[in-house]
């Protein structure tokens, strides 16, 4: 009889084997780094064990503080690391483990749960109550006439070699997202243990460019954008030399002109080649205007349906979750995806 239980420290090597088997092309060491950088996750892994002792499947979650429609932090359980050995699929193991994980989230006081997944697995999560929600993104072909702002200068930023390191970006993030629905309340440990390593892993093969905006003649960072570029097949399919993605940006209140300066700098990083792109950002008038200026007549509204969410707490209704994702300025930043 298959046993379903919490993982123990001695299960680690078998878990690494499982995740590699379920995700061809990945490595044990990459999964080991991923597993160890989030201690809260290691304590919450459920596994399915065959009668002979082999590990068949796993599912995990970790709690994070995510802001609600009023900007207050709520405990949210992020479901992740769900995997089943190829030979054990379609036997109900993943479903049972996810059900146990939902129970554990509820016991820990999680209000709702989020996840990101592949199209192949989406049906499973929909059957268990998760729904896809839109995340705002704008696309287009960047205009060579994209404007900037003389009030701000923009330069590349290398946190490892800067006196303030990631703290300068964290201050901007906190100010920009202080009451923004769906944003993660990132503390210093979150930046250090999750965000920075996750940024590196998520952009594997496409080194991120961090751009910062400063007021002319001043040293303080007033805004930032995290951008990466692709020269590969997606760009060629659109007849473009490169594609870029602004995966996160932030500014201090009152420095809205910095958005145009940051987007213009992201375009200049292309070296003048024909460039199409995507910008993840909340829908707000100043940001919308800067993006329309960047993309000109080619600008188009889009949304990805990466985030999926599910109600967990008994006193939190589906209508509450719907309102959260529809709240003005709501933004689930892609770099927080697990």
């Amino acid at each position: 009889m298959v046993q379903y239980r919490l993982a123990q420290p001695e299960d680690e090597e078998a878990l690494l084997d499982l995740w590699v088997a379920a995700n061809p092309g990945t490595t044990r060491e990459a999964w080991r780094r991923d597993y160890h950088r989030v201690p809260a996750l290691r304590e919450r892994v459920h596994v399915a064990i065959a009668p002979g002792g082999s590990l068949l499947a796993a599912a995990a979650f970790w709690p994070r503080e995510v802001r609600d429609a009023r900007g207050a932090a709520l405990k949210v359980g992020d479901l992740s690391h769900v995997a089943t050995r190829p030979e054990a699929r379609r036997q109900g193991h993943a479903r049972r483990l996810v059900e146990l994980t939902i129970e554990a989230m509820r016991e820990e006081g999680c209000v709702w749960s989020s996840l990101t997944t592949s199209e192949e697995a989406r049906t499973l999560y929909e059957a268990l109550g998760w729904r896809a929600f839109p995340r705002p993104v704008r696309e287009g072909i960047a205009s060579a006439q994209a404007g900037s702002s003389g009030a701000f200068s923009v330069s590349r930023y290398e946190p490892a070699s800067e006196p303030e390191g990631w703290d300068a970006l964290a201050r901007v993030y906190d100010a920009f997202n202080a009451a923004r629905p769906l944003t993660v309340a990132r503390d210093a440990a979150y930046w250090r243990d999750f965000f920075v390593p996750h940024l590196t892993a998520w952009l594997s093969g496409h080194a991120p460019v961090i751009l910062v905006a400063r007021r002319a003649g001043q040293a303080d960072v007033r805004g930032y954008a995290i951008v990466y570029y692709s020269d590969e097949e997606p760009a060629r399919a659109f007849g473009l030399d490169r594609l870029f993605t602004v995966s996160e940006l932030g500014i201090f209140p009152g420095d809205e002109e910095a958005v145009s300066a940051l987007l213009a700098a992201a375009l200049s990083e292309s070296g003048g080649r024909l460039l199409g792109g995507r910008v993840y950002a909340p829908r707000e008038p100043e940001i919308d205007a800067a993006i329309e200026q960047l993309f000109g007549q080619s600008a188009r509204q889009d949304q990805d349906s990466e985030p999926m969410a599910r109600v967990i707490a008994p006193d939190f209704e589906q209508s509450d979750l719907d309102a959260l994702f529809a709240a003005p300025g709501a933004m689930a930043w892609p770099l927080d995806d697990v």
Side-chain angles (χ1 to χ4, degrees), residues 31-274:
W31 281 106
R32 192 187 302 278
R33 288 193 299 271
D34 181 77
Y35 189 50
H36 278 270
R37 73 170 181 256
V38 186
L41 182 144
R42 295 202 305 275
E43 301 165 1
R44 297 169 172 84
V45 182
H46 280 86
V47 293
I49 307 294
S54 61
L55 197 153
L56 303 174
F61 86 97
W62 61 301
R64 294 190 289 184
E65 299 292 317
V66 178
R67 294 181 178 89
D68 67 10
R70 297 179 301 278
L74 299 177
K75 183 182 285 190
V76 173
D78 284 285
L79 181 70
S80 68
H81 292 70
V82 180
T84 305
R85 284 194 168 278
E87 66 272 19
R89 289 174 180 165
R90 294 178 174 81
Q91 297 175 24
H93 302 309
R95 185 185 186 97
R96 178 59 185 143
L97 291 175
V98 172
E99 289 172 344
L100 290 172
T101 302
I102 292 170
E103 293 174 14
M105 289 182 194
R106 188 172 292 119
E107 289 173 1
E108 287 202 32
C110 292
V111 177
W112 56 279
S113 172
S114 65
L115 64 85
T116 55
T117 188
S118 65
E119 284 299 323
E120 180 184 6
R122 192 174 294 271
T123 302
L124 167 66
Y125 298 119
E126 288 174 342
L128 289 167
W130 274 270
R131 287 179 47 200
F133 284 90
R135 173 161 49 196
V137 58
R138 273 77 107 206
E139 300 176 321
I141 298 173
S143 168
Q145 304 301 316
S148 183
S149 168
F152 291 91
S153 62
V154 178
S155 60
R156 284 198 180 205
Y157 187 83
E158 300 288 345
S161 60
E162 293 284 345
E164 292 190 291
W166 291 94
D167 290 346
L169 273 60
R171 283 197 295 273
V172 178
Y173 177 91
D174 288 344
F176 188 56
N177 300 296
R180 186 176 303 284
L182 296 181
T183 55
V184 175
R186 300 177 185 166
D187 60 14
Y190 186 93
W191 279 88
R192 181 189 66 242
D193 298 335
F194 175 77
F195 185 82
V196 175
H198 186 55
L199 172 63
T200 303
W202 189 70
L203 299 178
S204 177
H206 306 290
V209 173
I210 300 175
L211 301 170
V212 296
R214 297 179 172 92
R215 285 194 173 275
Q218 298 182 14
D220 292 346
V221 171
R222 304 299 299 178
Y224 74 90
I226 300 176
V227 190
Y228 73 97
Y229 299 84
S230 173
D231 297 297
E232 299 176 356
E233 187 58 37
R236 293 194 293 273
F238 286 96
L240 303 172
D241 295 316
R242 303 187 90 184
L243 289 177
F244 75 92
T245 298
V246 177
S247 52
E248 182 168 304
L249 62 81
I251 56 169
F252 275 107
D255 291 332
E256 285 74 18
E257 289 182 52
V259 176
S260 292
L262 288 163
L263 295 181
L267 175 58
S268 70
E269 290 285 335
S270 70
R273 292 188 291 174
L274 185 61

